[in-house]
Amino acid sequence: MLAPAGAPAQGYARSVTSSETAIRGEDWYGRELDSVEYTGVVFENVDLTEARTAGATFSDCVFRNVRFNVSEHSDSAFVNCRFDVCNFFDATFRRCKLTGSTFHGCEFALLKVEGGNWSFTGLARAELRGASFEGVRLREADLTQARCQEARFEGCDLSAVTLAGADLSAASLAGSDLTGIDPADVVLRGTVIDERQAVVLAGAMGMVVVPVP
């Protein structure tokens, strides 16, 4: 069973499969969620500040006005979930799977993502300024009109990502796969890329790159 309201967070919610359909207005500050499983659950106005998940699975869940501030998530899955007006300030995701999840009106200041699979995620119009993605699979993610100034997408799979109208000014894309990206669709002013990526982007612009004699 999950801890009752007001109970100590430490030690609760381990190896739990929930049958609840909605969790609203609960304070889960600092809670440890190890190996829990939630399917089709609505989380609304829940405080997950400084919470920790490890090996947790959330499938087809809705997170509405949930605070993930300074939370840490390792080897967890948030698959086909919807995040509405959530705050991810200084949150960290390590080796997590978020395939098919969508984000609407969320805050991502100081977000850190290390490894994992974020393919097919919906991040259209997301405010990702200064966020960090390292070694993340973002294949076919939707970053339409996303604001990614000074963000880091290093060593990521960005192949076939939708970037129409996105702003990557002063961002770092070094070491990422940019296959299928149209430079004409995105703002790349001051963006950091490596030599291999320069050849890929030049080719996407119809240029022919020849070796220097």
Side-chain angles (χ1 to χ4, degrees):
M1 296 293 293
L2 297 180
Q10 186 72 22
Y12 280 94
R14 295 176 181 271
S15 301
V16 169
T17 300
S18 176
S19 60
E20 297 180 77
T21 58
I23 298 173
R24 294 187 169 93
E26 295 203 12
D27 182 0
W28 287 11
Y29 184 102
R31 182 164 295 190
E32 294 186 6
L33 300 164
D34 295 351
S35 303
V36 298
E37 295 184 15
Y38 292 92
T39 301
V41 178
V42 175
F43 294 84
E44 187 168 11
N45 296 315
V46 176
D47 187 2
L48 284 168
T49 300
E50 294 192 22
R52 305 287 184 270
T53 71
T57 301
F58 300 84
S59 302
D60 301 302
C61 292
V62 175
F63 296 87
R64 187 175 297 123
N65 196 29
V66 173
R67 293 179 292 282
F68 290 90
N69 303 16
V70 204
S71 60
E72 295 187 12
H73 310 273
S74 301
D75 303 298
S76 295
F78 298 81
V79 179
N80 295 324
C81 292
R82 180 183 174 100
F83 298 87
D84 292 331
V85 199
C86 295
N87 195 330
F88 293 91
F89 173 77
D90 203 17
T92 302
F93 291 81
R94 299 185 181 92
R95 303 175 303 278
C96 292
K97 182 178 181 179
L98 281 88
T99 52
S101 290
T102 58
F103 300 82
H104 308 271
C106 297
E107 298 182 29
F108 299 99
L110 301 181
L111 171 71
K112 294 179 288 294
V113 183
E114 302 169 4
N117 191 347
W118 288 52
S119 297
F120 307 102
T121 50
L123 288 160
R125 294 173 292 281
E127 177 58 75
L128 292 169
R129 181 189 292 269
S132 175
F133 292 79
E134 295 187 48
V136 183
R137 184 176 174 86
L138 282 153
R139 183 176 178 82
E140 297 191 50
D142 183 3
L143 288 166
T144 300
Q145 297 182 13
R147 296 174 291 279
C148 306
Q149 301 96 319
E150 301 176 3
R152 295 173 58 195
F153 293 90
E154 298 180 349
C156 295
D157 181 357
L158 298 175
S159 56
V161 167
T162 302
L163 284 168
D167 190 343
L168 287 162
S169 299
S172 176
L173 307 180
S176 293
D177 183 351
L178 306 182
T179 304
I181 291 178
D182 186 350
D185 287 342
V186 58
V187 178
L188 294 170
R189 187 181 304 109
T191 305
V192 177
I193 60 174
D194 57 38
E195 294 180 357
R196 177 184 58 81
Q197 293 170 321
V199 173
V200 172
L201 293 180
M205 296 173 67
M207 299 180 183
V208 178
V209 180
V210 297
V212 177

